[in-house]
Amino acid sequence: MPTFPIPPLIFNLWYNNPATQRKKRDENMKFTDYALQPYLQKALADLKFTQPTPIQERIIPLLLKGESVIGQSQTGSGKSHSFLLPLINKIDPSRQELQLVITVPSRELAEQLTAVAAQLITFSDTEILLEKCIGGTDKKRQVAKLTQTQPHIVIGTPGRIFDLMQENALFVQTVQMMVVDEADMTFDLGFLETVDEIASRMPENLQMSVFSATIPDKIRPFLKKYLGNPKVIQIENTQLVSPTIKNQLLVTKAQNPMDVLRQLLVMGHPYLVLIFVNTKQKADEVTKDLRNHNFKVATIHGDIPSRERRRVMKQIQQMDYQFVVATDLAARGIDIEGVSHVINLEIPGELEFFIHRVGRTGRNGLEGTAITFYTPDQEQAIQTLEGKGISFETVELKNGELVESYDRSRREKRKNTQSKDLDPRLKGMIKKAKKKVKPGYKKKLGQEIRQKQRRQNRTKNK
């Protein structure tokens, strides 16, 4: 609030401005202000959640009113609770039929989202049936279970959900609400057509919500088909990398990256390290090298069987592994508590992947370290990241320690400084020296230029 003296008329215009009032509401908003059922308020209290995040503050009221929504926000923004809370709030447990379907593009995301939903319905006096539908599980057993009783909520991957529909085990004709989570990743993995098949079998008055970090043009026909005139909520990325993260760029010129990596892993007693690479093949190569050097390391990528991935994830959570090699699937689909270090052994091609990778550490206000391997030929990729608002501290490994390295832009700065400092006559002499002239004259001209530069430098340094 501004301080006086301010003319009363000006102050009243400012104070009653809708933007000012909205900001006041945002700052004072609490979960208890929403018309959520008592069991959900108990679940929030159990989580010690009191104030909604910006996306929750914008999304929850709209979904409670039955609006269709497109939500865009960065990872770690509280997106899951922004749609789970209001939509679960609308579930009628007395109706033994499917009412809410949520699709996600990976099994890991389905596991996590199901766990969040399970916590929210824990305190309900009337049982709310929640079913996770993912590949890699016993399909026959699930079909038999669904034939007996339909759940109220289904969370799963598009492929398994559609399979169960084709088996006449899952009846979506009664569904009132649908969420497509991580829509950009759903499209990238080729699942959007299956999601379309699922949604097309639901009632016309379906409340559809789509959440995504980005909205690629190629998913817009799907949005137009099912959302009509939705409310679009976009939460700007005010800070792409958390301030609790030390974001370092590690210069590895003329060094073997694997040698550098192994040195890093024994420095400073890291609690849990995620090592990111761009391909499944590279992940296997790095894992093999580390194991050959007696590091106990886990691997997570798309070719690891579902049952094996679940077992590995459980072992990671139990701290059986201190080091995990992963592809970007893990950055988007796995939330591992207690990650102290993220190492980008390779720079990802997409900014979004970089943010998701680095965002695995420094969570919940804890400190974290992100180290990205870099060689000068990758300067363009780093400049692109910096152009998006990501800043780095440049370091190098010396005598078993990370120390501050050279300024990557030093050559350009020196070039610009020299050009700026030269007087016009000297610039002309240099330009003339570059032309084809007689050898003796060129030598004499070179000596004169050097003398002139020395005199100029002495004058400047006095």
Side-chain angles (χ1 to χ4, degrees), residues 385-400:
L385 292 172
E386 289 176 325
K388 298 291 186 179
I390 295 173
S391 59
F392 295 91
E393 171 194 354
T394 307
V395 297
E396 57 185 318
L397 188 62
K398 283 188 176 180
N399 302 321

Side-chain angles (χ1 to χ4, degrees), residues 25 43 91 121 150 155 159 213 233 237 296 355 386 409 411 438 441 456:
R25 289 197 302 272
I91 295 292
I121 63 178
Q150 287 288 288
I155 298 174
I233 304 299
N237 298 348
K296 189 176 182 182
I355 295 168
E386 289 176 325
S409 59
R411 289 182 181 175
K438 294 179 180 179
Y441 178 74
Q456 187 169 312

Side-chain angles (χ1 to χ4, degrees), residues 149-364:
T149 308
Q150 287 288 288
H152 297 107
I153 304 168
V154 157
I155 298 174
T157 52
R160 174 50 68 93
I161 291 175
F162 191 57
D163 278 351
L164 294 171
M165 289 167 55
Q166 289 184 307
E167 294 279 352
N168 292 319
L170 201 60
F171 304 113
V172 299
Q173 295 85 349
T174 59
V175 171
Q176 301 168 310
M177 303 163 286
M178 182 177 181
V179 175
V180 181
D181 196 15
E182 303 289 358
D184 53 350
M185 190 177 177
T186 299
F187 172 77
D188 289 340
L189 295 176
F191 298 145
L192 196 62
E193 187 175 332
T194 307
V195 173
D196 190 359
E197 292 281 359
I198 295 168
S200 67
R201 289 160 171 76
M202 294 179 179
E204 287 187 8
N205 59 349
L206 179 71
Q207 182 184 3
M208 170 79 83
S209 301
V210 173
F211 292 85
S212 188
T214 58
I215 303 293
D217 287 339
K218 290 185 179 180
I219 72 171
R220 294 190 185 278
F222 174 87
L223 301 178
K224 186 176 181 180
K225 180 178 179 180
Y226 289 105
L227 279 83
N229 188 28
K231 302 291 184 182
V232 180
I233 304 299
Q234 186 172 8
I235 305 299
E236 294 294 336
N237 298 348
T238 54
Q239 205 155 27
L240 294 175
V241 176
S242 168
T244 63
I245 297 173
K246 185 186 293 185
N247 194 33
Q248 297 178 321
L249 194 63
L250 176 58
V251 180
T252 59
K253 184 179 179 181
Q255 293 176 292
N256 184 322
M258 289 307 303
D259 291 341
V260 176
L261 175 63
R262 290 192 298 272
Q263 290 182 66
L264 287 179
L265 298 185
V266 296
M267 286 170 48
H269 306 289
Y271 184 74
L272 180 59
V273 183
L274 277 181
I275 304 160
F276 282 108
V277 293
N278 293 344
T279 66
K280 292 174 279 191
Q281 181 182 358
K282 184 68 173 180
D284 289 335
E285 290 173 2
V286 173
T287 300
K288 182 179 179 180
D289 179 279
L290 293 177
R291 286 176 178 168
N292 287 341
H293 287 82
N294 300 318
F295 287 91
K296 189 176 182 182
V297 57
T299 312
I300 304 173
H301 60 61
D303 282 352
I304 305 294
S306 179
R307 183 174 297 179
E308 173 69 8
R309 277 155 70 178
R310 286 200 300 274
R311 182 186 65 78
V312 170
M313 282 302 302
K314 186 175 181 181
Q315 288 180 306
I316 293 169
Q317 300 290 4
Q318 294 172 346
M319 286 306 298
D320 291 341
Y321 291 103
Q322 189 181 5
F323 311 107
V324 181
V325 179
T327 57
D328 284 302
L329 172 66
R332 293 292 296 268
I334 296 174
D335 193 6
I336 303 172
E337 292 294 327
V339 176
S340 60
H341 291 70
V342 166
I343 297 177
N344 292 312
L345 195 61
E346 298 179 306
I347 299 173
E350 299 290 335
L351 170 68
E352 196 63 36
F353 285 136
F354 182 88
I355 295 168
H356 279 281
R357 288 181 180 188
V358 173
R360 297 308 97 195
T361 188
R363 298 171 79 85
N364 301 318

